[in-house]
């Protein structure tokens, strides 16, 4: 599977066909099915666009006729000139009014379109496999969504309310110029517009590449900054603040250099555009003055030409920025669609039923699996956890114990073999229903940056305060919470860093108890607890495990000594199986691990006594 950086680069390097494909994919968000009120808003915004453009095109005539009236021989028609000036001012107000009414009408459409796309991206990110999330850079993905959200709104605005109205105005002005001044002026305008658009597109395409380079470097700098801040404690442990600052400074410096090139290229674009437009403006007005000198044109015609060209050149003058905004919007949108197109490694089969658990047994049958094809972790693993039993998995580090938990939650699918819950192959049922039946207390308990209450209540939809309190009590964390200044409303900080390891683990235990699943997976559930709290938690877990199936992954063998069945793993295989007493009598790997841990505990106790 290609990584995110490769996919982004491929997308952004695409040409016009890819841009149109991106736009076609976005149209359903802009013109959604089953939302007639939004479609009416789009049509209403279009009406306001046409009204504003009609007023804009009529204004130069009022202005020009007012000038002609004032410069006419004989007594000036003061009131007629006054009326034309007032009409001109009213028309200018009308354009502002219609433009704002257009924006008010269309705002909900644009925001709904952006919201729909970002919601789909967010949902897609949650549906992607654990493999994707282990490889992703949080800062880079955040930037992709942020840039896409911001650019879509501006891209839609310019595409619908700048490019389209300007094209309409260009056609109407050409007709007016042809009718009043002849084909020469129309030809000059056409040559100017074509030259302007060609030059603008060429320079802007060059600028888009510079902008892409700047965005990549910006995303890299942000990814490194976020990664460094998330690992704040590690940075401090190794005194690496200066190293991290230099690392970020290199990325930020490269981004700054790319930004300078981008801004300088904008200056070049503005200069070239100004030369083309002012040559046309000067030539057209000189031609009109010459016509006046021949008695063919009036001073008002000079005003008419000047006003129309000013109105026409105003959006053209922004064409480079508009074009770049639209192109950048399409690039950013393509990046977001790139996230949507990321293949989902683990998917529900079409029409998959929900898992129904009557007897919560768990069975692994000849399971082969590895995170990479070159390195197999589990070699034909088979074991069963009968309903209502407690089955332990022990073994040295790297034996594949935690991999079993990831497979049980179906974060990955096995290469061969199958995993069954109550006799049902978990690959044949929906993932949501499977995970609803399993609760986990992980070794590394990561909490949301919210309150203690929120993190405990996360185990169930809309639990009552009493249920949250009872879960905290069962997890032996209620006395600690009562000592906090804000109790359950205490903020735990990002990833729960304001709490100790043991406190975080007890919160994780509490939310799993609140979930009340028929199957419990305890992955080193008491590894961060002191001996006294560990015994309290073990007593609680033993009580709540009654009538449930419990799979306990443990390093400290004393915590699973009373398990119904202990599976001893080594190199992805079960090498010993039995109860605690049976395994000690067998005098194999389990007995060796047990004796070593007992010796270490004795040494620690002797050192503490001294």
């Amino acid at each position: 599977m290609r990584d995110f950086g490769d996919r982004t680069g491929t997308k952004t390097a695409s040409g016009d066909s890819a841009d149109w494909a991106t736009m076609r994919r976005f149209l359903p968000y802009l013109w959604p099915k089953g939302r007639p009120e939004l479609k009416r808003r789009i049509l209403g915004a279009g009406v306001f666009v046409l009204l504003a453009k009609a007023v804009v095109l009529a204004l130069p005539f009022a202005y020009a006729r007012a000038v002609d009236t004032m410069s006419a021989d004989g007594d000036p028609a003061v009131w007629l000139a006054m009326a034309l000036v007032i009409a001109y001012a009213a028309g200018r107000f009308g354009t502002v009014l219609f433009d704002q009414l257009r924006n008010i009408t269309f705002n909900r459409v644009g925001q709904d379109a952006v919201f729909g796309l970002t919601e789909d991206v967010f949902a897609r990110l949650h549906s992607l496999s654990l493999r994707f999330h282990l490889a992703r850079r949080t800062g880079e993905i955040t930037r992709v969504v942020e840039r896409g959200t911001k650019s879509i709104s501006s891209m839609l605005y310019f595409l619908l309310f700048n490019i389209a109205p300007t094209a309409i105005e260009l056609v109407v002005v050409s007709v007016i110029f042809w009718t009043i001044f002849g084909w020469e002026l129309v030809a000059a305008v056409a040559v100017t517009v074509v030259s302007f658009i060609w030059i603008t597109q060429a320079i802007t395409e060059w600028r888009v590449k510079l902008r892409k380079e700047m965005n990549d470097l910006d995303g890299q700098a942000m990814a490194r900054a976020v990664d460094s801040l998330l690992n704040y404690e590690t940075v401090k442990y190794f005194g690496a603040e200066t190293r991290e600052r230099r690392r970020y400074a290199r990325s930020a410096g490269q981004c700054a250099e790319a930004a300078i090139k981008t801004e300088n290229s904008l200056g070049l674009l503005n200069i070239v555009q100004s030369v083309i437009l002012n040559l046309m403006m000067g030539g057209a007005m000189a031609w009109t003055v010459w016509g006046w000198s021949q008695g063919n044109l009036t001073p008002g015609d000079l005003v008419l030409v000047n006003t129309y060209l000013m109105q026409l050149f105003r959006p053209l003058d922004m064409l480079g920025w508009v074009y770049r905004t639209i192109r950048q919007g399409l690039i950013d949108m393509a990046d977001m669609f790139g996230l949507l197109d990321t293949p989902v490694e683990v998917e529900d089969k079409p029409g998959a039923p929900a898992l129904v658990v009557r007897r919560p047994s768990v069975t692994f049958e000849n399971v082969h699996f590895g995170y990479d094809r070159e390195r197999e972790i589990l070699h034909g693993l088979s074991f069963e956890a009968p309903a209502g039993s407690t089955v332990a998995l022990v073994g040295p580090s790297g034996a594949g114990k935690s991999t079993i938990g990831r497979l049980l939650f179906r974060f990955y699918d096995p290469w061969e073999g199958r995993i069954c819950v109550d006799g049902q192959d978990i690959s044949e049922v929906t993932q949501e229903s499977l995970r609803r039946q399993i609760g986990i207390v992980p070794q590394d308990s990561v909490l949301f940056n919210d309150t203690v209450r929120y993190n405990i209540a996360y185990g169930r939809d809309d639990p009552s305060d009493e249920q949250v309190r009872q879960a905290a009590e069962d997890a032996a964390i209620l006395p600690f919470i009562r000592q906090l200044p804000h109790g359950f409303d205490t903020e735990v900080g990002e990833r729960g860093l304001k709490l100790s390891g043991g406190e975080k683990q007890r919160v994780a235990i509490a939310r799993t108890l609140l979930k009340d699943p028929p199957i419990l997976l305890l992955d080193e559930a008491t590894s961060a607890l002191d001996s006294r709290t560990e015994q309290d938690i073990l007593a609680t877990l033993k009580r709540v495990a009654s009538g449930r199936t419990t799979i306990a992954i443990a390093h400290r063998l004393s915590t699973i000594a009373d398990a119904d069945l202990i599976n001893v793993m080594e190199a992805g295989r079960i090498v010993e199986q039995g109860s605690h007493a049976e395994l000690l009598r067998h005098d194999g790997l389990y007995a060796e691990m047990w004796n070593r841990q007992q010796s270490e505990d004795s040494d620690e106790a002797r050192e503490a006594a001294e």
Side-chain angles (χ1 to χ4, degrees):
M1 185 177 68
R2 291 179 299 174
D3 63 23
F4 178 73
D6 289 341
R7 185 175 59 257
T8 304
T10 301
K11 285 288 180 183
T12 53
S14 57
D16 293 339
S17 60
D19 290 341
W20 283 114
T22 299
M23 199 64 220
R24 283 196 301 271
R25 288 190 65 178
F26 183 69
L27 285 178
Y29 293 96
L30 191 60
W31 190 265
K33 293 181 179 179
R35 297 291 301 275
E37 74 283 3
L38 292 183
K39 296 178 181 179
R40 286 194 294 269
R41 283 180 173 271
I42 295 174
L43 296 176
V47 170
F48 285 125
V49 168
L50 294 177
L51 288 174
K53 194 52 63 181
V55 173
V56 165
L57 291 170
L59 285 179
F61 281 103
Y63 192 10
R65 295 296 78 86
V67 172
D68 282 341
T69 301
M70 294 171 64
S71 62
D73 295 334
D75 294 333
V78 176
W79 293 111
L80 176 58
M82 189 75 71
L84 290 170
V85 170
I86 293 173
Y88 178 78
R92 287 179 60 85
F93 169 74
T95 59
V96 174
L97 175 64
F98 291 137
D99 283 345
Q100 296 309 311
L101 289 175
R102 173 204 68 196
N103 291 341
I104 292 171
T105 303
F106 186 77
N107 281 340
R108 180 170 294 278
V109 178
Q111 290 301 320
D112 274 26
V114 173
F115 168 75
L117 178 56
T118 52
E119 184 182 26
D120 285 351
V121 170
F122 182 76
R124 184 68 167 191
L125 288 173
H126 273 291
S127 70
L128 294 177
S129 67
L130 181 62
R131 192 189 308 274
F132 172 86
H133 287 281
L134 290 176
R136 68 175 165 83
R137 289 181 178 270
T138 305
E140 187 174 355
I141 293 219
T142 302
R143 281 290 179 145
V144 167
V145 177
E146 179 186 356
R147 281 199 302 261
T149 302
K150 288 182 178 179
S151 62
I152 287 171
S153 298
S154 55
M155 183 195 70
L156 285 177
Y157 177 85
F158 288 127
L159 198 62
L160 299 176
F161 304 140
N162 185 285
I163 299 295
T166 300
I168 294 173
E169 185 172 0
L170 180 60
V171 172
V172 175
V173 169
S174 298
V175 171
I176 293 172
F177 280 2
W178 186 291
T179 303
I180 299 176
F181 305 109
W183 65 270
E184 296 89 351
L185 194 56
V186 175
V189 170
V191 169
T192 300
V193 170
V194 170
S195 302
F196 186 92
I197 291 175
W198 181 79
I199 290 292
T200 299
Q201 183 181 17
I203 296 179
T204 303
E205 284 294 338
W206 169 53
R207 296 192 68 243
V208 164
K209 294 177 182 178
L210 296 178
R211 180 81 178 187
K212 168 64 172 57
E213 179 185 356
M214 186 185 74
N215 283 347
D216 289 345
L217 292 170
D218 180 49
Q220 183 185 78
M222 178 57 63
R224 288 182 175 177
V226 170
D227 194 37
S228 179
L229 292 175
L230 288 176
N231 292 279
Y232 169 83
E233 290 184 343
T234 304
V235 174
K236 289 292 184 183
Y237 289 150
F238 291 91
E241 293 92 340
T242 302
R243 190 191 317 163
E244 288 296 318
R245 179 181 59 78
R246 285 199 301 264
R247 187 166 175 257
Y248 174 74
R250 281 196 299 270
S251 296
Q254 292 171 345
C255 181
E257 288 297 321
I260 291 171
K261 292 180 182 178
T262 303
E263 294 302 319
N264 289 345
S265 66
L266 177 61
L268 175 63
L269 176 62
N270 289 337
I271 291 172
V272 174
Q273 287 178 330
S274 181
V275 168
I276 295 174
L277 295 184
N278 283 290
L279 282 175
M280 173 61 200
M281 180 68 76
M285 293 182 70
W287 182 84
T288 308
V289 170
W290 180 80
W292 167 77
S293 69
Q294 300 298 310
N296 298 326
L297 301 175
T298 67
D301 291 331
L302 179 65
V303 173
L304 189 69
V305 170
N306 179 70
T307 306
Y308 269 127
L309 290 179
M310 289 289 289
Q311 289 180 178
L312 184 61
F313 289 169
R314 189 176 299 114
L316 282 179
D317 195 37
M318 298 172 58
L319 184 62
W321 179 41
V322 171
Y323 180 75
R324 182 183 62 79
T325 300
I326 292 173
R327 287 282 286 117
Q328 189 61 44
L330 289 169
I331 289 172
D332 292 337
M333 202 164 23
D335 286 345
M336 293 182 71
F337 281 124
L339 292 175
L340 286 174
D341 292 338
T342 304
V344 177
E345 185 176 346
V346 179
E347 288 188 286
D348 292 339
K349 292 184 178 179
L355 175 66
V356 178
V357 177
R358 296 179 179 86
R359 290 182 53 78
S361 61
V362 177
T363 308
F364 278 63
E365 300 178 0
N366 194 33
V367 172
H368 291 261
F369 176 75
Y371 298 106
D372 297 305
R373 282 290 175 182
E374 294 77 16
R375 180 170 174 260
E376 188 171 353
I377 302 295
L378 301 180
H379 305 268
L381 182 73
S382 297
F383 74 90
E384 181 180 4
S389 67
T390 296
V391 174
L393 296 167
V394 301
S397 298
K401 303 186 296 297
S402 295
T403 299
I404 290 174
R406 290 175 172 178
L407 290 173
L408 180 59
F409 269 91
R410 211 181 161 210
F411 291 157
Y412 302 93
D413 283 331
W415 298 348
E416 297 178 31
R418 65 176 193 156
I419 304 168
C420 296
V421 172
D422 195 7
Q424 302 162 70
D425 189 337
I426 63 173
S427 66
E428 302 290 335
V429 299
T430 62
Q431 297 174 64
E432 181 184 3
S433 65
L434 168 68
R435 292 163 188 160
R436 196 164 47 237
Q437 304 297 331
I438 308 173
I440 183 171
V441 180
Q443 179 178 5
D444 182 17
S445 302
V446 178
L447 306 182
F448 291 94
N449 189 3
D450 211 302
T451 63
V452 173
R453 183 192 310 278
Y454 177 85
N455 279 281
I456 295 177
Y458 201 77
R460 179 184 299 184
D461 288 336
D462 298 323
S464 66
D465 289 343
E466 176 56 30
Q467 289 174 321
V468 173
R469 191 203 64 78
Q470 185 62 50
E473 183 177 359
D474 290 341
I477 196 175
L478 186 59
F480 165 75
I481 295 174
R482 284 174 172 164
Q483 293 173 4
L484 297 173
H486 302 290
F488 280 95
D489 295 323
T490 301
E491 297 280 343
V492 302
E494 188 169 18
R495 298 167 65 233
L497 291 178
K498 290 184 179 181
L499 303 182
S500 69
E503 290 157 359
K504 285 196 299 181
Q505 205 148 22
R506 281 182 284 173
V507 170
I509 292 171
R511 68 184 175 193
T512 299
L513 295 177
L514 183 63
K515 184 179 181 181
D516 194 25
I519 299 172
L520 285 176
L521 177 62
L522 308 177
D523 187 359
E524 304 282 2
T526 60
S527 62
L529 305 180
D530 59 83
S531 299
R532 180 177 178 181
T533 304
E534 179 184 62
Q535 294 306 313
D536 292 340
I537 293 296
L538 288 174
T540 300
L541 291 176
K542 186 174 182 180
R543 184 175 68 256
V544 300
S546 178
R548 307 173 197 265
T549 302
T550 303
I551 298 177
I553 298 171
H555 173 72
R556 195 180 306 173
L557 302 185
S558 59
T559 62
I560 50 85
D562 58 349
D564 298 311
L565 180 67
I566 300 173
N567 294 299
V568 184
M569 295 185 63
E570 186 176 29
R573 297 179 175 86
I574 292 180
V575 295
E576 296 178 17
Q577 211 171 39
S579 65
H580 174 68
E582 291 170 346
L583 290 172
L584 289 180
R585 284 196 300 270
H586 184 264
D587 198 22
L589 177 60
Y590 181 84
E592 177 188 341
M593 294 169 60
W594 174 265
N595 293 331
R596 184 182 298 115
Q597 288 188 12
Q598 292 297 306
S599 175
E600 290 172 354
D601 291 343
S602 298
D603 291 342
E604 290 177 3
R606 187 163 50 252
E607 290 175 2
E610 293 175 354

